[in-house]
Amino acid sequence: MTFDRRVKIAPSILSADFADFGREIEAIEAQGADWVHVDVMDGHFVPNLTFGPQMCRAIRPHVRTVMDVHLMIAPVDPYIDAFAEAGADVISAHLEAGPHIHRTLQAIRGAGCKAGLAINPGTGLDGVEYLLDMIDLVCVMTVNPGFGGQKFIESQVAKVKALRAMIGDRPIHIEIDGGMTPETAPLMAAAGADVFVAGSAVFRGGSVAKPEVYGENIRAIRTAAEAAL
Ligand code: DX5
Ligand code: ZN
């Protein structure tokens, strides 16, 4: 993975057909996805359950871009090696998932992955400052984690602006997750984000039989975000 701040669209397979992940991933990548976002939920840190490292391992051969694994689980540390071995390129853990996020981030890089720090809408940037030298990405949640299809929380725009200033020249991606559409993505692009996770807005109306709809949806978000730069 090389670093750049160009707009990247990361469809979340949370909105894909769960019976057909391999072909869904191939379809979104063929239609212009830059990264593939994988939402791991444990029914404890968030009120929903999805999948674990075995599923990540199974889909890995279908991912040609970047496998971006968002862990919404607590505890995190016992599972880091399993997700790294499953082929994750980026592993994001939540600041709120436990008392020792510093150790967690060390373990993610130690396992050979890029380290992402995810923060909930109610979390400020205080806890991010002393972690900047050990992260490759900050994932700013613009919904409360757990479900796709929720409404974008507008108050997070100011947070992203402040985060962008805090990051300065460091090679750290700002990823936005939740409620991304062609209407909301430009607000975050202007604020300094470069990775745009989108579930429902990418998969809506399409299927593996109608992949061109994924392409239209991805292009609509990308074009809107780039126009705000
Ligand atoms: C929410 C997940 C998101 C979700 C986004 O907990 O982390 O990645 O899939 O879905 P949309 O784009 O539908 O808000
Ligand atoms: Zn996510």
Side-chain angles (χ1 to χ4, degrees):
M1 273 178 76
T2 54
F3 181 84
D4 67 64
R5 291 197 192 284
R6 278 179 296 193
V7 168
K8 290 169 281 297
I9 310 296
S12 165
I13 59 168
L14 187 62
S15 294
D17 177 357
F18 270 46
D20 207 358
F21 279 131
R23 289 201 300 164
E24 289 275 50
I25 288 166
E26 284 161 17
I28 53 172
E29 289 193 340
Q31 294 295 327
D34 298 285
W35 292 11
V36 176
H37 186 82
V38 182
D39 284 309
V40 176
M41 304 186 186
D42 67 352
H44 165 74
F45 180 67
V46 290
N48 195 4
L49 279 167
T50 54
F51 33 69
Q54 271 181 296
M55 226 288 300
C56 291
R57 184 190 298 275
I59 63 173
R60 177 70 247 193
H62 301 274
V63 179
R64 294 191 175 180
T65 56
V66 169
M67 188 155 104
D68 175 33
V69 177
H70 178 193
L71 298 182
M72 287 161 274
I73 66 175
V76 182
D77 296 10
Y79 302 102
I80 290 170
D81 286 345
F83 284 102
E85 282 159 22
D89 295 297
V90 181
I91 297 179
S92 295
H94 269 263
L95 180 59
E96 306 85 0
H100 299 295
I101 186 67
H102 188 282
R103 180 190 297 156
T104 299
L105 294 166
Q106 272 178 329
I108 293 172
R109 279 198 173 166
C113 298
K114 300 284 186 196
L117 175 64
I119 52 175
N120 283 333
T123 301
L125 295 177
D126 289 1
V128 177
E129 189 178 354
Y130 292 102
L131 301 172
L132 288 175
D133 293 330
M134 51 195 312
I135 57 179
D136 303 288
L137 175 148
V138 180
C139 174
V140 177
M141 294 303 303
T142 38
V143 298
N144 286 298
F147 303 95
Q150 303 181 79
K151 193 175 174 301
F152 175 75
I153 300 173
E154 189 113 14
S155 60
Q156 304 306 299
V157 176
K159 187 196 284 184
V160 170
K161 278 189 193 145
L163 175 63
R164 182 69 194 86
M166 188 188 269
I167 285 173
D169 293 335
R170 295 177 182 84
I172 299 175
H173 297 289
I174 299 180
E175 176 177 73
I176 311 298
D177 191 0
M180 283 292 97
T181 65
E183 288 70 47
T184 56
L187 305 174
M188 286 308 197
D194 63 298
V195 185
F196 299 82
V197 175
S200 40
V202 166
F203 286 92
R204 182 179 297 132
S207 67
V208 293
K210 276 198 293 180
E212 64 282 358
V213 178
Y214 297 159
E216 287 159 21
N217 292 342
I218 289 169
R219 268 193 304 282
I221 300 168
R222 190 193 303 284
T223 306
E226 285 174 349
L229 297 176

